[in-house]
Amino acid sequence: MADDAEPPGSNVQRTPDGRYIIVRGRLWRATNPNLPEEERQRWVNALMDARRAVKAAKASGDDAELKSARAQVQEAKVALGERGPVWWDDGAPDYNRKMVENTPYASWWATQKSSSNSG
């Protein structure tokens, strides 16, 4: 969903440390930047295929296919670093899915919002 692997060069706002993208004021764990590009792209392709399979399974009403497709989404998200263990190694906690204003990024976020409103 919102925590998708964003395409290189996309205009997604990230936290200063690059660990999260911000969507409607909520933090979503970003893709591990240490993944080699070929591997990252392979998992992004697998994620998109799995999402299409979820859609098809929902449309057909096939519960077994839906469960399988959702497991494929999960596998790809974990491989990309967007779910599962965090990809950073400094011991910092994971704020995935938290509102920015309720995290240590709050003061930085307030400056971002005020600077975008002043233009």
Side-chain angles (χ1 to χ4, degrees):
M1 232 170 143
D3 52 340
D4 290 350
E6 67 278 358
S10 67
N11 194 20
V12 173
Q13 187 158 13
R14 288 179 170 259
T15 56
D17 55 17
R19 292 178 179 167
Y20 303 94
I21 63 171
I22 301 161
V23 178
R24 292 187 298 276
R26 189 173 301 274
L27 297 172
W28 295 92
R29 199 182 317 160
T31 299
N32 181 347
N34 300 314
L35 286 177
E37 178 55 26
E38 185 177 298
E39 181 180 354
R40 185 198 69 80
Q41 190 60 57
R42 183 170 46 85
W43 283 111
V44 168
N45 293 347
L47 176 60
M48 296 303 107
D49 289 344
R51 287 205 165 131
R52 283 188 287 275
V54 166
K55 182 178 180 180
K58 283 182 173 181
S60 73
D62 187 329
D63 290 340
E65 285 298 317
L66 181 58
K67 184 175 182 177
S68 174
R70 285 184 170 158
Q72 292 169 24
V73 169
Q74 177 70 9
E75 178 185 21
K77 292 251 186 213
V78 169
L80 289 165
E82 297 174 7
R83 292 185 185 160
V86 297
W87 45 261
W88 51 89
D89 59 7
D90 63 1
D94 188 10
Y95 296 107
N96 193 37
R97 300 184 182 186
K98 305 284 187 221
M99 296 303 292
V100 184
E101 63 220 17
N102 298 329
T103 71
Y105 299 102
S107 59
W108 166 81
W109 181 241
T111 66
Q112 300 302 300
K113 289 189 337 185
S114 66
S115 66
S116 68
N117 291 335
S118 63

